[in-house]
Amino acid sequence: MSDAFPAAAKTALADSQLRRNLRTATHTIRDKRAAAVGAKHDWEELREAGRALKERVLLQLDQYLLQLEASVERAGGHVHWARDAGEANQIVGDLIASHGADEVIKSKSLTTEECELNEALAARGIRAWETDLAQLIVQLGHDKPSHILVPAIHRNRAEIRELFLRTLDGVDPNLSDEPRALAEAARLHLRRKFLEAKVGVSGANFAVADTGSVAVVESEGNGRMVTTLPEVLITVMGIEKLIPSWQDFEVFLQLLPRSSTAELMNPYTSIWTGVAERDGPREFHLVLLDNGRTNVLADEVGRQTLNCIRCSACLNVCPVYERTGGHAYGSVYPGPIGAILAPQLANLEGSRSLPYASSLCGACYEVCPVKINIPEVLLHLRARIVEQDRQAGLRRRLDPVGIGLQAAASAFASRRRYEAAQKLARAGQRPLAREGVIRRLPGPLAGWTAARDLPAVPKQSFRDWWRSRERL
Ligand code: SF4
């Protein structure tokens, strides 16, 4: 994973079509979500229940995982443990090869994206077909997902029509860019794949420790096909996706659809428990992936990141995501959750700019259905990065940022100093401020105004106004 966010964000900011696509899509989803959540009178209680359940799982994760393994095997499934992406890819590739298959169908799985499973399978001569419509669009365009829930959010309908005409066999040359027509073209292509495939690979939204049941929730029905039609089903799941008991679905199946697609329930909720006679796949394998998650678990503040149920609500309200899109993050996990998850999974290697990709406005925390305090984790990670640099001798005690922050801390600590700083700023901004806004700061401060305006210090502070009012 490269630490390319600053440069990639700059490129994305210059792409006005991308910003239009993102703005339209995120605002539509966020408004619908707000309405769905607003109509639920016990939403805050549900959020608290979701947070508490996830916390319980994380505090006893070792025990719950062993319980899950025993439950899955009791139901006729097989459990595999993968320390990292390489091990997971090896396990999945070996299982597919042992059944003599050279094609598999997949339903959307961020975890396999994280492992770059498709690329690893291709290197072994196995072709993986994505079956989620948006994921298929990404795959056909040799693209990368840019949103957790809507991986092709950066594409508009005209672009998708052109892509289908170019890449899918047998598409009507008069294909329109109506959503229904585009979906039908994809459906015809996928139907053949569903019927031919011997092996299916899926992700998982939840796994139940006490029953060994695994659940996938989705909107298109492709997940249902992938988890029921093939003879062999392989599910790759991060170790944090556990819930303690069947009853806990009650909480998460209310939180997730409202937060992700603003629906009261997901159109398709597929839950399976091991294998059953004459019903679904003959063989079921569950691959449990660590890939840095135990490092996250070991950090008391960062641990809450593992509560995430990948609803994507935080992306849709984030002012940074809305302007840069998901590709700039250089990770399969974009937006606010990506800014805290990606650096932690990589042990702060290669993605150190991400915790700074936030205005700390707190909108992500407000919408998170499992109450992950993303701003708190962002600040914690920034502190870890600063400390790491200091220890490595990469950061002087008083670098320019440090000097600036110390000066700000000193000004904010005393009313006299704060008022003096205001006066100084008012005088200093005279050549720069126009109509209450500073559009360009000089020298090393220019970066601040490169992509945003800075409000000028007002002519009169609140205290001055109050004093003048008292004098009347
Ligand atoms: S951090 Fe919260 S809001 Fe963001 S994707 Fe995860 S669960 Fe959803």
Side-chain angles (χ1 to χ4, degrees):
M1 191 188 298
S2 68
D3 196 4
F5 184 81
K10 211 168 183 179
T11 310
L13 283 170
D15 185 340
S16 52
Q17 176 66 52
L18 172 74
R19 279 164 52 193
R20 261 195 302 279
N21 292 356
L22 285 167
R23 189 179 158 76
T24 307
T26 55
H27 280 247
T28 306
I29 309 174
R30 78 156 82 158
D31 292 348
K32 283 189 184 167
R33 177 214 155 266
V37 163
K40 186 92 183 99
H41 69 93
D42 58 350
W43 182 249
E44 284 309 314
E45 286 85 349
L46 267 176
R47 280 180 88 206
E48 179 52 28
R51 186 207 62 75
L53 280 165
K54 279 288 183 182
E55 185 178 81
R56 191 164 111 209
V57 166
L58 293 178
L59 290 176
Q60 301 169 58
L61 189 59
D62 51 345
Q63 292 167 36
Y64 280 121
L65 282 169
L66 291 176
Q67 191 187 5
L68 174 73
E69 181 183 38
S71 305
V72 170
E73 289 182 347
R74 205 170 41 242
H78 306 274
V79 174
H80 309 260
W81 300 84
R83 261 173 298 214
D84 54 29
E87 279 191 11
N89 293 344
Q90 185 72 36
I91 293 166
V92 176
D94 289 351
L95 285 169
I96 297 167
S98 71
H99 288 85
D102 59 5
E103 273 198 355
V104 293
I105 47 170
K106 280 181 71 205
S107 70
K108 191 170 77 177
S109 162
L110 270 177
T111 313
T112 60
E113 281 285 335
E114 177 189 325
C115 297
E116 299 186 338
L117 177 67
N118 289 4
E119 291 79 357
L121 293 181
R124 297 179 65 161
I126 300 166
R127 175 84 204 243
W129 288 101
E130 296 293 348
T131 63
D132 172 83
L133 177 57
Q135 198 71 26
L136 176 70
I137 293 164
V138 167
Q139 186 180 40
L140 293 174
H142 302 288
D143 207 349
K144 291 274 180 201
S146 63
H147 190 280
I148 290 177
L149 192 72
V150 201
I153 198 169
H154 54 290
R155 296 263 185 219
N156 62 28
R157 287 190 281 159
E159 291 171 312
I160 295 166
R161 172 184 174 273
E162 190 274 324
L163 178 71
F164 280 5
L165 285 172
R166 195 160 37 83
T167 56
L168 291 183
D169 289 336
V171 174
D172 178 358
N174 298 316
L175 177 72
S176 82
D177 65 2
E178 284 304 308
R180 185 184 286 269
L182 295 173
E184 186 57 21
R187 196 174 286 132
L188 290 173
H189 159 77
L190 289 172
R191 194 161 295 155
R192 285 192 297 277
K193 300 294 170 197
F194 284 131
L195 295 172
E196 287 163 10
K198 203 169 166 189
V199 181
V201 177
S202 83
N205 289 96
F206 306 103
V208 186
D210 70 353
T211 62
S213 311
V214 180
V216 165
V217 295
E218 35 111 20
S219 302
E220 297 170 16
N222 62 302
R224 172 74 50 89
M225 304 280 232
V226 169
T227 55
T228 53
L229 283 178
E231 284 170 32
V232 181
L233 172 61
I234 305 168
T235 298
V236 183
M237 185 187 99
I239 52 173
E240 80 282 19
K241 295 282 180 69
L242 271 172
I243 59 174
S245 70
W246 182 272
Q247 207 182 347
D248 302 324
F249 272 132
E250 178 193 348
V251 172
F252 293 104
L253 293 184
Q254 293 187 77
L255 286 174
L256 183 54
R258 283 175 173 81
S259 301
S260 54
T261 49
E263 289 165 308
L264 303 191
M265 64 181 290
N266 289 95
Y268 294 88
T269 301
S270 304
I271 305 178
W272 64 98
T273 307
V275 289
E277 268 300 297
R278 292 193 291 278
D279 186 13
R282 305 264 61 78
E283 225 178 283
F284 169 55
H285 297 268
L286 179 63
V287 181
L288 295 171
L289 176 75
D290 181 340
N291 209 29
R293 285 162 175 77
T294 43
N295 292 336
V296 186
L297 188 66
D299 182 327
E300 274 186 33
V301 180
R303 180 182 301 153
Q304 56 187 310
T305 310
L306 298 177
N307 289 1
C308 178
I309 55 173
R310 310 281 190 267
C311 70
S312 76
C314 56
L315 277 65
N316 301 327
V317 295
C318 176
V320 177
Y321 177 86
E322 186 188 318
R323 283 157 184 82
T324 65
H327 288 157
Y329 289 77
S331 156
V332 292
Y333 303 110
I337 181 59
I340 58 172
L341 181 59
Q344 291 188 89
L345 287 179
N347 214 3
L348 298 183
E349 293 297 326
S351 50
R352 303 169 102 234
S353 61
L354 291 184
Y356 296 89
S358 168
S359 62
L360 298 177
C361 68
C364 47
Y365 182 26
E366 263 175 46
V367 297
C368 180
V370 281
K371 294 175 97 168
I372 301 173
N373 190 338
I374 295 177
E376 180 187 35
V377 182
L378 286 167
L379 287 176
H380 171 69
L381 293 178
R382 290 179 191 184
R384 272 180 61 189
I385 289 168
V386 169
E387 194 47 42
Q388 242 183 25
D389 283 354
R390 275 214 185 109
Q391 283 180 10
L394 294 173
R395 198 179 282 253
R396 281 166 283 134
R397 183 118 204 104
L398 290 177
D399 58 15
V401 177
I403 293 170
L405 289 175
Q406 280 194 8
S410 160
F412 280 114
S414 134
R415 177 178 148 188
R416 250 181 342 106
R417 283 199 292 270
Y418 180 69
E419 288 186 345
Q422 274 182 325
K423 277 197 190 119
L424 205 64
R426 219 171 277 133
Q429 74 181 6
R430 248 177 236 141
L432 306 168
R434 295 275 174 284
E435 293 165 7
V437 173
I438 298 173
R439 298 226 151 72
R440 186 173 299 180
L441 282 169
L445 301 173
W448 180 265
T449 46
R452 47 172 137 33
D453 294 335
L454 179 69
V457 179
K459 286 198 181 90
Q460 188 181 38
S461 71
F462 175 77
R463 283 178 198 280
D464 290 340
W465 170 79
W466 190 261
R467 278 188 216 112
S468 66
R469 194 178 153 277
E470 279 177 341
R471 278 198 295 271
L472 287 176

